């Protein structure tokens, strides 16, 4: 049997007692009930809860399409933003070789676009794609989000010029709403293969739908194992587990008690750059789910030990409004042993024969003690390995804990009304039809 990820709260015991955590976890079990019964806030967006089972009938079609893209091209551009992009990127970066784009060995490259409107980024991408044999996966639930829609318009035209319209249509896959939105109409008009984002799954909870699974499969990773990991976490965090042993309830309770004690910023800490985009995914999940109605914990992230030489100073000695969540990965894939040097001029012979992971592990323990001594509470998530199965566990764990945590805060964890504010202003400033009056007012304000 595979080892499971687990939550370790011993490094917050100097700040919050385990009795308090267990009490709030027990009380919060009612939120698990309302999630399962569909009686809480945002209950029309609970489809993600049962995705580990519901997605199974689609796995073989996703794999077939991934195989097709891999056979007709050597690069896939994945276009999407927010929840339509971060989940696949998190998993792909965690599983990939750190230098995959520079490797000479035959493999399929994944490139992301539509997650910004930077002209230089897209110009660089177009230049690169001039010499690439590529396909496109375009993802947008609403089908109308400006950033991916713009990138798709530009890249679609590039691909059509390069390989011709009929061949481009064979290389473009659209993932969007079943019926609504400009992307749905575009896909139908042009005859693209499509996958559906279910109505009851919001963007940031969609990694276990084709939104996340198709790019991950195209990158060559085992999506069945990812879903299997998520399924195991669905069981572990379900109502059959005692609340005092349910990792999602314990994590949700602990972070809310820390917030109540004045710690309003949570920093996710990874000790491998492979987790960088997992933290980005987590930041979006928690930021968009909790940050509303004047409430929420601000989610931030650092990569260690890199950031110990940067934000580490603030974490150690700055305002005491922080707590950290360490992702502690037990085993690494590869082995690098530190060599011995005859003259020891760099004075590192005391480490000779040790593996780098041992040094990294001691850096992690040293940081835990230092930050705790500096009054920073630390929740630790122990992850047995960075493979598909445990990434699946991590995804489901953070999703269910986020929903519970949102209910503890008494917010709707499944909407994001605040995202509209910048869009309205941008549309008004760009004279989008229907925004003329708003545009006039804004331009007055800018005088
Ligand atoms: O979580 C969410 O719903 C958002 O972050 C969306 O994923 C993001 O805004 C992109 O939306 P769409 O997929 O409609 O283009």
């Amino acid at each position: 049997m595979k080892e499971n990820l687990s939550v370790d709260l011993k490094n917050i015991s100097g700040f919050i007692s385990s009795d308090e955590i267990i009490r709030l976890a027990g009380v919060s079990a009612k939120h698990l009930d309302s999630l399962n019964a569909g009686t809480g806030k945002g209950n029309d967006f609970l489809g993600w809860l049962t995705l580990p089972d519901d997605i199974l009938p689609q796995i073989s079609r996703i794999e077939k399409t991934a195989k097709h893209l891999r056979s007709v091209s050597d690069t896939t551009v994945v276009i999407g933003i927010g929840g339509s992009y971060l989940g696949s990127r998190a998993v792909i970066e965690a599983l990939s070789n750190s230098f995959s784009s520079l490797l000479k060995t035959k493999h399929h490259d994944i490139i992301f676009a539509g997650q910004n409107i930077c002209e230089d980024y897209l110009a660089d991408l177009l230049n690169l794609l001039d010499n690439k044999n590529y396909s496109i996966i375009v993802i947008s639930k609403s089908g109308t989000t400006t950033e991916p829609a713009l990138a798709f318009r530009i890249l679609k035209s590039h691909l059509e010029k390069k390989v011709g319209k009929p061949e481009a249509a064979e290389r473009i896959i659209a993932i969007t709403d079943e019926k609504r939105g400009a992307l749905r109409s575009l896909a139908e008009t042009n005859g693209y293969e499509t996958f559906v984002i279910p109505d009851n799954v919001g963007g940031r909870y969609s990694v276990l739908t084709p939104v996340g699974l198709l790019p991950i499969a195209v990158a060559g990773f085992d999506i069945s194992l990812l879903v299997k990991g998520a399924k195991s976490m669905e069981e572990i965090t379900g109502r059959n587990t005692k609340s005092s042993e349910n990792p999602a309830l314990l994590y949700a309770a602990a972070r809310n008690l820390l917030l109540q004690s004045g710690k309003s910023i949570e920093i996710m800490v990874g000790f491998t750059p492979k987790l960088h985009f997992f933290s980005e995914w987590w930041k979006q999940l928690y930021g968009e789910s909790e940050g509303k109605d004047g409430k929420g914990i601000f989610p931030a992230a650092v990569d260690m030990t890199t950031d110990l030489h940067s934000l580490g100073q603030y974490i150690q000695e700055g305002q005491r409004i922080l707590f950290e969540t360490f992702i502690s990965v037990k085993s690494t894939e590869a082995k690098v042993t530190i060599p011995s040097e005859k003259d020891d001029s760099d004075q590192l012979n005391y480490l000779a024969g040790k593996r780098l992971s041992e040094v990294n592990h001691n850096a992690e323990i040293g940081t835990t003690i230092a930050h705790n001594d500096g009054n920073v509470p630390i929740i630790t998530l122990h992850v047995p390995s960075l493979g598909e199965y445990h990434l699946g566990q991590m995804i489901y764990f953070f999703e269910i804990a986020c929903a519970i945590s949102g209910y503890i805060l008494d917010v709707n964890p499944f909407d994001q009304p605040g995202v509209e504010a910048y869009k309205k202003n941008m549309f008004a400033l760009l004279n989008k039809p229907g925004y003329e009056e708003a545009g006039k007012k804004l331009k007055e304000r800018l005088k």
Side-chain angles (χ1 to χ4, degrees):
M1 221 172 71
K2 283 191 185 293
E3 215 183 321
N4 297 313
L5 63 78
S6 60
V7 172
D8 174 352
L9 299 173
K10 68 173 176 297
N11 295 314
I12 64 167
S13 61
F15 307 85
I16 308 284
S17 74
S18 59
D19 285 354
E20 276 179 279
I21 298 167
I22 287 170
R23 191 200 59 79
L24 184 56
V27 172
S28 303
K30 69 175 182 230
H31 299 312
L32 252 188
D33 292 337
S34 50
L35 282 168
N36 289 325
T39 51
K41 288 185 177 175
N43 56 10
D44 39 355
F45 283 101
L46 296 175
W48 57 273
L49 272 169
T50 48
L51 272 176
D53 283 319
D54 298 343
I55 200 62
L56 292 179
Q58 289 195 60
I59 295 285
S60 62
R61 182 159 87 92
I62 295 172
E63 280 172 341
K64 193 169 157 227
T65 305
K67 204 169 158 200
H68 161 69
L69 294 184
R70 288 170 70 86
S71 70
V72 297
S73 55
D74 51 38
T75 300
T76 295
V77 184
V78 178
I79 301 177
I81 195 166
S84 288
Y85 132 84
L86 283 163
S88 65
R89 188 155 195 184
V91 174
I92 291 169
E93 301 260 342
L95 295 173
S96 296
N97 181 291
S98 306
F99 306 99
S100 55
S101 62
L102 300 174
L103 285 179
K104 292 269 185 296
T105 47
K106 194 170 154 34
H107 68 287
H108 195 93
D109 279 322
I110 304 291
I111 296 175
F112 293 92
Q115 80 281 33
N116 62 60
I117 327 177
C118 174
E119 193 159 352
D120 286 340
Y121 184 90
L122 217 58
D124 289 348
L125 180 57
L126 289 170
N127 281 337
L128 178 81
L129 293 176
D130 281 343
N131 301 312
K132 291 273 179 194
N133 175 18
Y134 73 100
S135 300
I136 296 176
I137 300 174
V138 53
I139 309 170
S140 178
K141 184 169 185 200
S142 61
T144 54
T145 307
T146 310
E147 291 89 338
L150 271 175
F152 183 54
R153 176 184 275 222
I154 293 165
L155 291 173
K156 170 178 165 291
S157 147
H158 184 272
L159 185 61
E160 285 175 350
K161 272 193 204 119
K162 196 175 160 84
V163 300
K165 218 170 164 187
E167 174 65 21
E170 294 293 313
R171 291 166 175 237
I172 296 175
I173 313 292
I175 307 179
T176 189
D177 185 87
E178 191 176 7
K179 297 193 184 80
R180 289 178 302 260
L183 183 56
R184 168 58 55 190
S185 341
L186 244 168
E188 280 170 9
T189 312
N190 291 286
Y192 304 148
E193 182 181 355
T194 61
F195 287 88
V196 170
I197 309 177
D199 268 348
N200 61 357
V201 179
R204 59 189 176 276
Y205 291 84
S206 69
V207 55
L208 298 174
T209 72
V211 169
L213 298 183
L214 181 61
I216 295 167
V218 177
F221 300 115
D222 185 344
I223 55 173
S224 294
L225 194 54
L226 187 83
V227 172
K228 210 168 160 193
K231 176 68 197 169
S232 69
M233 192 43 59
E234 182 189 342
E235 279 157 13
I236 293 167
T237 55
R239 278 304 256 142
N240 289 335
T241 304
K242 260 170 57 185
S243 54
S244 59
E245 287 164 17
N246 183 324
L249 283 170
L250 290 172
Y251 173 61
R255 59 196 297 283
N256 274 281
L257 288 165
L258 287 164
L259 173 66
Q260 287 160 26
S261 76
K263 309 287 186 191
S264 57
I265 296 174
E266 177 175 8
I267 306 177
M268 174 156 282
V269 181
F271 277 78
T272 160
K274 285 177 183 261
L275 280 172
H276 178 83
F277 274 94
F278 193 87
S279 298
E280 292 299 307
W281 171 81
W282 170 84
K283 269 159 60 178
Q284 189 222 357
L285 179 63
Y286 280 72
E288 275 194 349
S289 300
E290 295 188 325
K292 53 198 70 161
D293 309 337
K295 299 179 187 174
I297 298 170
F298 184 84
V302 292
D303 297 325
M304 301 303 200
T305 62
T306 316
D307 285 320
L308 286 170
H309 301 263
S310 160
L311 290 174
Q313 171 60 38
Y314 191 105
I315 298 171
Q316 191 67 49
E317 295 182 344
Q319 280 197 74
R320 302 298 73 193
I321 51 173
L322 316 164
F323 69 98
E324 291 175 303
T325 295
F326 277 35
I327 307 292
S328 182
V329 183
K330 193 168 160 192
S331 66
T332 53
E333 292 292 313
K335 211 171 169 180
V336 177
T337 306
I338 300 161
S340 176
E341 287 276 356
K342 214 168 168 201
D343 59 4
D344 196 23
S345 49
D346 56 7
Q347 295 170 15
L348 287 175
N349 267 358
Y350 78 103
L351 296 174
K354 290 193 196 304
R355 287 182 52 190
L356 272 184
S357 54
E358 189 181 339
V359 181
N360 204 22
H361 182 60
N362 281 289
E364 183 182 323
I365 298 173
T367 307
T368 306
I369 297 168
H371 288 185
N372 247 204
D373 287 349
N375 279 326
V376 179
I378 297 169
I379 299 171
T380 306
L381 189 71
H382 293 288
V383 178
S385 73
L386 259 196
E388 285 95 333
Y389 186 84
H390 292 116
L391 283 162
Q393 286 203 331
M394 287 163 76
I395 288 167
Y396 198 90
F397 165 78
F398 280 115
E399 287 181 347
I400 187 98
C402 183
I404 296 165
S405 199
Y407 281 176
I408 295 176
L409 282 167
D410 195 24
V411 297
N412 176 354
F414 308 113
D415 67 1
Q416 56 285 330
V419 179
E420 295 311 309
Y422 98 92
K423 289 188 193 168
K424 282 186 196 142
N425 290 344
M426 179 176 75
F427 295 152
L429 292 166
L430 288 167
N431 300 323
K432 182 171 175 171
Y435 288 80
E436 294 82 355
E437 269 313 302
K440 269 188 211 151
K441 283 189 193 140
L442 275 186
K443 282 167 196 160
E444 272 305 307
R445 271 177 67 180
L446 291 172
K447 273 185 187 158

